[in-house]
Amino acid sequence: MGSFPASLRGSLEAAIADCHLSLTGKTILTEAATGPYVVTPVLAAMADAKHVFAYTKSGPYGSIEDVRDRTLTLAQLCGVAERISIVSSLNEEIVQRADIITNSGHLRPIDHRKIAWFKDGAVVPLMYEAWEFRDSDVDLEACRKRNIAVAGTNETHPAVNVFSFLGPMAILLLENAGLIVRGAQILLLCDNPFKPFLLKALTAAGAKVDLCQEIPLEGPAYQAVVVALTPKPTDVLSIEDLEQLASLWPKALVARFWGDLDNEAMANAKLRFYPQHVDRGHMGILPSALGFEPIVRLQCGGLKVGQILSDGGTGDCGFVQRL
């Protein structure tokens, strides 16, 4: 299963200190997951949570037993294993005990059935920015009827600073696709706050970058088109858009950073694209591809939002993004 980096406990402690995360007296319901996301329940316990319930389930990324073993191994290394319970089923008794319920992958959807089990005053921190919210993740109407506070995480807050990892993620995505970034002509399609971070990193890596929100009518011989467009109900580029790309730059790599694209339509247009499969609404590369640090920062920031909401909004200091 692999060991943990020697620096990981220090990274967890530093993130907790930078965010002034304190969950004293609070019960947390979050997920137990694989890869760098193993840190989430451990962060909560290290921040002095009364107890942490970490829900997991079998899937393509590992068995329940593997997730339990890895989570508790890290928890033991950090001295907090006694405050974490790994659970593989959710019931009313567990959910009712939670003061903070994170909007983490295994817990989604947080639907009206689960919300009916919430105690009065429970809160839901989104473990991402408010503008990334998906209706399928949380039933906001059911939360509002129960006066359950829901809010996003300011990922650009200096103590979190997750957006600083976006550029390295884009570079790694291109390198994984076989592109040499230095000297490459790149068209960056972006319509969201990712823009300055992606542009700065790609330029610093030696690429020649043109930034647009839609496909231009002309341009140099781009070697790659980085698609970083906000997901919407339909694909972010239409069949006509893809055909235009293929007509203008038939040899360009379509790098799928963010925004849904249709595989069949790209194949029919004879476009080269990477990755070959991306779940709808998700990124083509996750922060976890860079290791533990971006996930430590992201999850700590999300838990900080939970702390602030649970405390009635006190001590915000710019962490919270309201929906």
Side-chain angles (χ1 to χ4, degrees), residues 174-191:
L174 290 167
E175 291 176 344
N176 287 344
L179 183 79
I180 298 173
V181 175
R182 180 169 294 279
Q185 292 275 0
I186 294 176
L187 173 61
L188 173 60
L189 297 178
C190 191
D191 62 353

Side-chain angles (χ1 to χ4, degrees), residues 172-174 176-177 253-257 272-278 284:
L172 180 59
L173 177 70
L174 290 167
N176 287 344
L253 165 74
V254 177
R256 305 168 70 176
F257 191 79
R272 185 165 58 99
F273 57 93
Y274 182 86
Q276 295 299 304
H277 175 76
V278 180

Side-chain angles (χ1 to χ4, degrees), residues 114-189:
K114 292 179 183 143
I115 293 165
W117 292 344
F118 285 11
K119 65 160 61 174
D120 291 341
V123 301
V124 178
L126 304 176
M127 308 302 274
Y128 49 63
E129 293 223 326
W131 62 277
E132 300 176 70
F133 176 74
R134 298 178 290 264
D135 289 334
S136 58
D137 283 359
V138 181
D139 188 332
L140 279 182
E141 185 59 30
C143 285
R144 286 167 179 154
K145 287 180 179 178
R146 291 284 320 279
N147 292 316
I148 303 296
V150 181
T153 304
N154 177 12
E155 296 180 12
T156 62
H157 189 287
V160 182
N161 200 24
V162 174
F163 274 31
S164 67
F165 296 99
L166 292 171
M169 288 164 56
I171 292 168
L172 180 59
L173 177 70
L174 290 167
E175 291 176 344
N176 287 344
L179 183 79
I180 298 173
V181 175
R182 180 169 294 279
Q185 292 275 0
I186 294 176
L187 173 61
L188 173 60
L189 297 178

Side-chain angles (χ1 to χ4, degrees), residues 225-268:
V225 179
V226 177
V227 179
L229 297 169
T230 307
K232 56 185 182 179
T234 57
D235 294 329
V236 295
L237 295 179
S238 66
I239 292 176
E240 292 74 20
D241 291 331
L242 296 173
E243 290 174 346
Q244 182 180 343
L245 271 182
S247 174
L248 292 169
W249 305 290
K251 296 182 179 180
L253 165 74
V254 177
R256 305 168 70 176
F257 191 79
W258 203 36
D260 300 320
L261 294 170
D262 184 85
N263 283 18
E264 184 177 355
M266 286 190 289
N268 288 341

Side-chain angles (χ1 to χ4, degrees), residues 91-127:
N91 55 46
E92 186 172 359
E93 180 183 359
I94 290 174
V95 175
Q96 276 189 340
R97 292 176 62 180
D99 300 291
I100 297 171
I101 301 95
T102 67
N103 176 38
S104 301
H106 288 337
L107 293 173
R108 299 174 194 155
I110 297 179
D111 55 21
H112 68 279
R113 180 182 64 87
K114 292 179 183 143
I115 293 165
W117 292 344
F118 285 11
K119 65 160 61 174
D120 291 341
V123 301
V124 178
L126 304 176
M127 308 302 274

